[in-house]
Amino acid sequence: MDLVVGKVTKNDLALSNKVFMSLADFRALKERSNAQGTDEQSMLLEIQWHGCAVGSWVFTCSPYHEITDGQLAMSTPQRTMTSLPLEQQIQVAPYRLPASSALESMALSVNCRKAPTDGKPRQVDCDGLITEFMKKFSAQVFVVGQEL
């Protein structure tokens, strides 16, 4: 399916690490996808375009009612990481993750975007962070060095 790159305009969507498309486009692709281990409102989506240096990128995709048909909404970090400008023509298709790509472990680093106003170091609840990360980013694909 051919789409054009748009931007995610809502912060809660941008922070999800997902890309978004219209409900009609999502339904058309979801019908063509094999079981991916995702829920009914998500699918793994492979994105390709002419001149892509790495061949393709894979993101988790969900429908969103404010996205127009023919558009794939991406966050600023996603567009920066992939070097995709707005309005770029892309090809998308459901992605099937090879079993050999599954992770057994993953190392995360936390870098707060704002420094504490009181100058004291922030305490991070690692167990709580793991729980929240697993809830929010389950069944997603990541690359080394990816920022969320």
Side-chain angles (χ1 to χ4, degrees):
M1 174 182 286
D2 291 336
L3 301 175
V4 295
V5 174
K7 63 181 175 178
V8 172
T9 58
K10 300 211 181 295
N11 280 344
D12 58 330
L13 299 180
L15 295 174
S16 71
N17 192 49
K18 292 182 179 183
V19 296
F20 297 89
M21 62 176 51
S22 72
L23 183 57
D25 289 342
F26 182 85
R27 284 181 180 156
L29 284 174
K30 187 76 169 176
E31 289 174 0
R32 295 182 7 210
S33 70
N34 295 323
Q36 298 176 317
T38 58
D39 61 30
E40 292 179 13
Q41 293 298 309
S42 298
M43 78 174 126
L44 296 177
L45 189 70
E46 183 172 21
I47 304 170
Q48 298 178 319
W49 63 96
H50 180 70
C52 177
V54 297
S56 66
W57 289 86
V58 177
F59 289 98
T60 301
C61 179
S62 289
Y64 190 67
H65 66 279
E66 292 182 11
I67 308 301
T68 59
D69 291 347
Q71 183 182 68
L72 184 72
M74 301 176 77
S75 68
T76 299
Q78 291 167 334
R79 293 192 319 272
T80 301
M81 180 178 65
T82 59
S83 300
L84 275 170
L86 292 173
E87 302 301 321
Q88 171 73 40
Q89 180 94 20
I90 56 174
Q91 295 78 45
V92 300
Y95 180 74
R96 184 160 181 121
L97 187 66
S100 62
S101 296
L103 289 178
E104 290 182 23
S105 65
M106 181 178 187
L108 300 173
S109 63
V110 176
N111 186 3
C112 298
R113 296 191 188 270
K114 294 181 182 178
T117 55
D118 61 6
K120 295 179 183 177
R122 289 204 172 145
Q123 297 293 319
V124 176
D125 174 7
C126 292
D127 291 335
L129 179 64
I130 291 168
T131 301
E132 284 302 309
F133 187 90
M134 295 298 290
K135 274 197 274 185
K136 191 168 189 172
F137 301 110
S138 177
Q140 292 198 29
V141 175
F142 298 97
V143 296
V144 174
Q146 180 175 342
E147 292 185 18
L148 300 177

